[in-house]
Amino acid sequence: MPPAAHPALRKVETISHTVCADQIPGSIVLSIYEYEPLVRFLAAAMGKPQLHVMQDPLARANVMGYRAGEALNWHFDRSEFTTTLLLQAPEFGGDFEYRTDLRSDDDPNYDGVARLLDGRDLEAKILRMKAGTLNVFRGKNTAHRVTTVEGERERMIAVFSYYERPGVMFTEEERIGFYGRAA
Ligand SMILES: O=C(O)CCC(=O)C(=O)O
Ligand SMILES: [Fe+2]
């Protein structure tokens, strides 16, 4: 593969409207995030002895808005798995599309990633979500994206982070990198 064609070097634009956990104290979204039966359910679903909410005041739970014309490009997540709850569905578009196990912990599969980015991966699937859909996926190796939202109603989704270890925090640098602020 010529270096310029390497999938990691492609340029994409990302717009995001993110509300962090510290901006919604006492909200229903945070109560759901911390709801013990949900945490136990997710642990059982993921085959973990236990899961814990994250301690990070910003990252533990986020609400992201996608407005008309906005999307989230193909990516992998840093964490082993990700939990989302769709709060409001858009009128059109804003589909969650995923490609299961595109890479593995020991094989980055750059050719496969390039094929996906070129729209030539026939195994990519769309998950039909409605408001209230809980989505748990292994985003570390399953590539995923959100297609462009259309229409007046913004897509609103809560993103919940849980870990096997209690007390997980981002570093200050990570908070600034993700959110543009440390506190
Ligand atoms: O909005 C979604 O459905 C997915 C969000 C996501 O992939 C992420 O925040 O990493
Ligand atoms: Fe993601």
Side-chain angles (χ1 to χ4, degrees):
M1 193 183 308
H6 197 284
L9 297 177
R10 294 200 200 179
K11 295 263 192 296
V12 294
E13 187 188 60
T14 302
I15 298 170
S16 94
H17 309 277
T18 301
V19 171
C20 295
D22 65 328
Q23 294 170 293
I24 46 170
S27 60
I28 293 175
V29 167
L30 284 185
S31 314
I32 296 172
Y33 170 63
E34 291 174 343
Y35 186 55
E36 255 316 306
L38 174 63
V39 183
R40 282 202 301 272
F41 167 77
L42 292 169
M46 298 310 294
K48 311 274 187 204
Q50 253 194 329
L51 282 176
H52 300 273
V53 293
M54 197 182 187
Q55 208 68 53
D56 195 274
L58 272 59
R60 52 208 313 267
N62 290 169
V63 175
M64 306 205 307
Y66 299 76
R67 301 176 188 165
E70 298 174 358
L72 183 64
N73 291 293
W74 284 113
H75 66 283
F76 298 102
D77 295 337
R78 295 198 315 175
S79 49
E80 180 194 344
F81 74 97
T82 299
T83 306
T84 67
L85 179 65
L86 190 67
L87 304 178
Q88 176 171 280
E91 285 173 79
F92 310 103
D95 283 317
F96 181 84
E97 192 174 3
Y98 63 101
R99 169 49 167 92
T100 301
D101 291 339
L102 181 59
R103 69 175 184 186
S104 65
D105 288 348
D106 28 57
D107 175 15
N109 187 16
Y110 291 128
D111 289 332
V113 172
R115 204 176 310 128
L116 180 75
L117 297 185
D118 288 342
R120 289 185 289 110
D121 188 327
L122 302 176
E123 283 184 54
K125 296 191 181 76
I126 282 179
L127 175 72
R128 296 269 164 226
M129 297 171 86
K130 17 181 217 184
T133 298
L134 183 73
N135 182 16
V136 189
F137 58 97
R138 295 184 185 277
K140 191 158 181 256
N141 291 324
T142 287
H144 53 284
R145 72 166 173 176
V146 178
T147 64
T148 306
V149 165
E150 294 164 56
E152 284 308 297
R153 196 168 61 228
E154 80 186 275
R155 179 183 191 269
M156 291 205 312
I157 192 152
V159 181
F160 296 153
S161 295
Y162 301 97
Y163 289 89
E164 279 176 86
R165 196 156 57 80
V168 172
M169 292 271 270
F170 273 3
T171 63
E172 223 172 88
E173 289 72 30
E174 285 171 326
R175 283 202 288 275
I176 290 171
F178 276 98
Y179 306 115
R181 63 189 173 97

